[in-house]
Amino acid sequence: EAGVAQSPRYKIIEKRQSVAFWCNPISGHATLYWYQQILGQGPKLLIQFQNNGVVDDSQLPKDRFSAERLKGVDSTLKIQPAKLEDSAVYLCASSLGDPNQPQHFGDGTRLSIL
Amino acid sequence: AQKVTQAQTEISVVEKEDVTLDCVYETRDTTYYLFWYKQPPSGELVFLIRRNSFDEQNEISGRYSWNFQKSTSSFNFTITASQVVDSAVYFCALRLTSGTYKYIFGTGTRLKVLA
């Protein structure tokens, strides 16, 4: 089966600019996650969708970050305006609905803020 | 608190040595799931194993084995006869069954296997 697809793979922008990331989960996976992974740290959940509804966005900096999942499939994560501390890898993952099912991760988008 | 602690930041071993990666967790949930993921230099997190909180059987898969001890809240991962290809960052994760089924990741252990 095809894995989780993410684009772009790399992105370099200047602070205060905006950026968007795209994720296409594994077909049939109801749950989609966006994580931020800062260098040397573990992934930190930004937002979790169940189909097209938000389940958990408690750690999403809502003043600058937004995410949507249209029709319960693809998702986009946007940052506007970007800050230096947003430099990180943004990982998308998907899973089936059961809690015992593992997440499957994409390759991530490496974001560098100048 | 609900968290995962991987106290070993980095481990270096010589090829063919055995190595154990430690994972200690805290949770209020009586039912939960534990996972190990591998993150090679390419960046993608790869699922290795899942363990239910009510199943304390240890598991072996090839050179990999996992020791789950509920009494000490630990879920340790051992690689036998390590190989250079095992070099990666390994993450232990806890999935809750309350609330939003949140995943909580540890900070990871970087394993370097030297030829």
Side-chain angles (χ1 to χ4, degrees):
Chain A
E1 70 183 355
V4 176
Q6 286 189 249
S7 68
R9 190 80 171 89
Y10 303 93
K11 190 72 178 179
I12 301 173
I13 62 172
E14 295 185 346
K15 61 182 179 183
R16 291 189 290 274
Q17 287 187 325
S18 61
V19 64
F21 313 126
W22 173 82
C23 173
N24 179 241
I26 292 173
S27 178
H29 281 194
T31 312
L32 185 147
Y33 314 79
W34 282 103
Y35 287 90
Q36 180 192 60
Q37 187 178 19
I38 292 173
L39 187 65
Q41 298 182 18
K44 172 186 140 186
L45 179 69
L46 292 175
I47 190 166
Q48 176 181 339
F49 291 96
Q50 182 76 16
N51 296 309
N52 60 350
V54 175
V55 173
D56 185 346
D57 63 357
S58 56
Q59 298 190 96
L60 186 74
K62 298 180 186 64
D63 57 333
R64 298 183 301 107
F65 286 64
S66 64
E68 60 181 3
R69 189 179 185 195
L70 299 175
K71 300 180 182 178
V73 181
D74 293 5
S75 177
T76 56
L77 176 69
K78 296 179 181 176
I79 308 175
Q80 182 179 9
K83 291 185 174 181
L84 292 175
E85 61 259 34
D86 298 332
S87 293
V89 175
Y90 290 85
L91 296 163
C92 179
S94 70
S95 70
L96 294 170
D98 293 337
N100 65 344
Q101 294 298 315
Q103 297 176 96
H104 298 267
F105 285 82
D107 290 337
T109 297
R110 184 174 298 275
L111 175 66
S112 297
I113 312 294
L114 304 179
Chain B
Q2 313 217 67
K3 65 178 184 179
V4 175
T5 301
Q6 294 180 257
Q8 304 151 308
T9 305
E10 185 169 313
I11 302 175
S12 292
V13 298
V14 176
E15 206 170 19
K16 297 183 185 175
E17 286 185 353
D18 299 347
V19 60
T20 295
L21 310 181
D22 298 333
C23 173
V24 174
Y25 62 92
E26 291 179 39
T27 180
R28 295 184 294 272
D29 288 14
T30 54
T31 301
Y32 49 88
Y33 299 90
L34 295 162
F35 299 83
W36 275 95
Y37 287 86
K38 174 182 180 180
Q39 188 173 41
S42 58
E44 179 183 352
L45 278 105
V46 177
F47 165 69
L48 295 177
I49 191 164
R50 170 193 62 229
R51 175 59 67 220
N52 307 325
S53 57
F54 43 86
D55 179 4
E56 289 197 62
Q57 272 194 338
N58 291 327
E59 184 158 339
I60 298 174
S61 175
R63 296 184 298 106
Y64 295 170
S65 62
W66 290 269
N67 182 3
F68 174 39
Q69 292 197 334
K70 207 167 179 178
S71 58
T72 56
S73 297
S74 65
F75 186 40
N76 296 336
F77 172 30
T78 297
I79 301 175
T80 302
S82 59
Q83 300 176 1
V84 173
V85 294
D86 296 327
S87 297
V89 180
Y90 291 85
F91 290 96
C92 180
L94 165 69
R95 188 169 198 191
L96 308 177
T97 56
S98 59
T100 60
Y101 294 161
K102 180 179 290 189
Y103 276 89
I104 300 170
F105 281 83
T107 50
T109 296
R110 180 177 299 278
L111 175 64
K112 293 184 177 179
V113 181
L114 308 172

